[in-house]
Amino acid sequence: MINITEITPEDSIKLQKMIESATQLIKAAQYQWIQTPTIDSYNSLSPGLGNHLKTSVVRFMDRGNDSLILRPDNTAPIARIMASTPAPKQPVKLFYNASKFQRHPKSNDIVETLEFGFEIIADSSANADAEILITLSQLLTTLGFKDHIIDVGHSKSAQALPHNKREALLNNDFVKYGEVPERGSIALMKDMDTLKGLYNALQHKPESDHIYFNSGLVKELDYYTGIIFEVYIPHCGYPIASGGRYDGLLRTYGTDLPAVGAALNMNTILSVLGTK
Amino acid sequence: MNTPITIATAKGYLLSESIAAFEKIGISFGNAIEESRKLFTNDESGHYSLLKIRPWDVTEYVENGAADLGIVGLDVLDEKKSNVIRLADLGFGKCSLVLAGPENQKDILRHHIKVATKFPNLTQQYFDNKGIKANLIKLYGAIELAPLTGLSDIISDLTATGATLKEHNLEVIDTILDSSAYLIANPSSYRTHYSTIVSLVNALKSQKR
């Protein structure tokens, strides 16, 4: 089944305006546009996909029996491009506005999701993490979501959990997890080995009012190696944006470079605007 | 706090116990809503608002953010697999989803057995785990009638004491799920009202003991 994402003319106007203002802001912050293939080769892209994406990928055969896929994610093909070009001497800042196609985990329907995202390649510093979060917060404010909440965690804390506790958090089941996970202002990061660098880079920044530490944040994607985050706005039960650091991803395509990025789910954002 | 935190509560047997649990932690909704046709009421402080909702609708209210919190049985939660946060097992409203069939027929389970139920997903999952191909019949009530009238071989239904089953000459074959009332939250409300919700969860958990 295909769950077709059809956008009405009214929504198209809203979408275009959002993309225009987001593009303006992201270009002013020195990000460059990058385009990746819509139809890709499974064998070429699979090294970086991880188990979750491999099972949700939309895959088909062409006449020569090559295994093709629809772009399952924007981050993986960008990582492959950057890994196959000469290593940059300075951090590279990229943005994209493209659909990804995944099978829904429950219904198995093919779902197209329009993403607006941005990434910093070749910078492993906490300052790059902070820059992504600050830019994300500014973007959301520009788009009219003045009361957005960015929950930040670290992939290592989830990976250290036993399998059943990790599953419980993925299912939002705090009864099975055993308690409501600790969550609060960025001050909670201050004494953590993994996040104190981010705390130092964020403190005194006005955007940090939107940023919270959440010890219970886990994500399904296997490629995260550092900070992870999700963005919520009032009255919408699903995150409107998410992202994190994935320092091992480019290595799976041949060049070992760190990377961090965020993506806005434009379909969820449109559905929220529709109810406003 | 400007707008009250809205709690969608399953009407029926969970409602009075929910109101009593809130009363114990100092949130007083009174008993007007239980006895009247009123569908919502505020507590004395005006910080909380209680909605009286059909059990199967509670998750819809919470999932879509029309209510911040909800109180509903684990049976409904697991059957619907909604996108909500499960905050706490409140300990009351205990019951079990069981398979029940005619008395003295414990080994009735076989392929193509006909099962009447209000809980097709949980029941299907049970039979899938056992590797048995069952034919499910979705009903909305009076499940116990199904085997008596020949509509089904057995049923999967909720029972607290087993009295209704016994009255219809049915006995438990196996338990699918032990259920009780759960406090749930909308993922966005959970973040917006985090500290209030955490104190509420802690208070409700400690009065349970």
Side-chain angles (χ1 to χ4, degrees), chain A residues 182-255:
Chain A
E182 188 185 27
R183 183 181 171 280
S185 78
I186 59 165
L188 291 172
M189 301 176 181
K190 205 171 162 180
D191 298 320
M192 296 175 62
D193 288 341
T194 47
L195 290 170
K196 66 181 173 206
L198 179 64
Y199 169 78
N200 290 331
L202 284 177
Q203 62 168 339
H204 311 310
K205 294 280 193 293
E207 291 82 5
S208 66
D209 290 348
H210 292 279
I211 302 174
Y212 294 80
F213 168 70
N214 183 345
S215 69
L217 190 65
V218 294
K219 287 168 78 74
E220 209 124 25
L221 290 176
D222 318 312
Y223 56 51
Y224 291 112
T225 56
I227 64 157
I228 48 177
F229 51 88
E230 277 182 351
V231 183
Y232 283 84
I233 51 170
H235 307 298
C236 178
Y238 293 88
I240 60 165
S242 66
R245 174 168 284 285
Y246 35 95
D247 286 349
L249 183 61
L250 274 80
R251 192 175 55 228
T252 66
Y253 296 113
T255 308

Side-chain angles (χ1 to χ4, degrees), chain B residues 90-102:
Chain B
L90 298 177
F92 56 79
K94 284 202 164 109
C95 60
S96 301
L97 180 65
V98 298
L99 278 185

Side-chain angles (χ1 to χ4, degrees), chain A residues 17 28 40 60 100-101 106 134 203 249 274:
Chain A
K17 277 188 184 153
D40 215 314
F60 51 99
K100 65 175 185 185
F101 303 83
K106 282 182 201 161
I134 289 167
Q203 62 168 339
L249 183 61

Side-chain angles (χ1 to χ4, degrees), chain A residues 9 13-14 29 39 73 78 102 120 131 140 165 174 188 191 198 206 227 249:
Chain A
I13 294 170
K14 287 183 198 162
I39 297 177
D73 170 54
I78 290 175
Q102 291 180 2
I120 302 177
E131 185 185 332
L140 290 160
K165 286 222 164 194
F174 299 163
L188 291 172
D191 298 320
L198 179 64
I227 64 157
L249 183 61

Side-chain angles (χ1 to χ4, degrees), chain A residues 106 149 151 171-175 178-183 214 230 232-238, chain B residues 63-65 81-89 182 186-188 190-192 194 198 201 205:
Chain A
K106 282 182 201 161
I149 291 170
D151 271 17
N171 294 326
N172 274 331
D173 190 338
F174 299 163
V175 178
E179 62 182 342
V180 178
E182 188 185 27
R183 183 181 171 280
N214 183 345
E230 277 182 351
Y232 283 84
I233 51 170
H235 307 298
C236 178
Y238 293 88
Chain B
E63 190 167 15
N64 292 298
K81 299 201 183 345
S82 313
N83 172 44
V84 295
I85 291 179
R86 300 177 181 202
L87 289 171
D89 177 353
Y182 268 49
N186 173 275
S188 163
Y190 164 70
R191 289 166 168 84
T192 323
Y194 179 79
V198 171
V201 169
K205 274 187 184 167

Side-chain angles (χ1 to χ4, degrees), chain A residues 55-129:
Chain A
T55 51
S56 55
V57 82
V58 180
R59 191 171 169 179
F60 51 99
M61 295 290 174
D62 83 347
R63 285 185 192 171
N65 261 352
D66 286 327
S67 183
L68 301 178
I69 52 173
L70 296 179
R71 183 196 296 117
D73 170 54
N74 280 291
T75 299
I78 290 175
R80 186 186 54 191
I81 295 179
M82 295 313 292
S84 62
T85 50
K89 293 189 176 60
Q90 281 179 350
V92 180
K93 294 162 77 172
L94 303 168
F95 81 96
Y96 55 86
N97 173 39
S99 285
K100 65 175 185 185
F101 303 83
Q102 291 180 2
R103 287 194 181 276
H104 191 275
K106 282 182 201 161
S107 66
N108 210 32
D109 285 354
I110 298 171
V111 182
E112 175 177 1
T113 310
L114 186 57
E115 281 189 332
F116 185 97
F118 52 103
E119 314 194 330
I120 302 177
I121 316 276
D123 188 343
S124 62
S125 72
N127 285 337
D129 294 347

Side-chain angles (χ1 to χ4, degrees), chain B residues 28-41:
Chain B
S28 182
F29 290 108
N31 49 13
I33 190 164
E34 267 188 273
E35 289 150 11
S36 72
R37 285 167 174 272
K38 247 181 115 176
L39 295 177
F40 70 94
T41 187

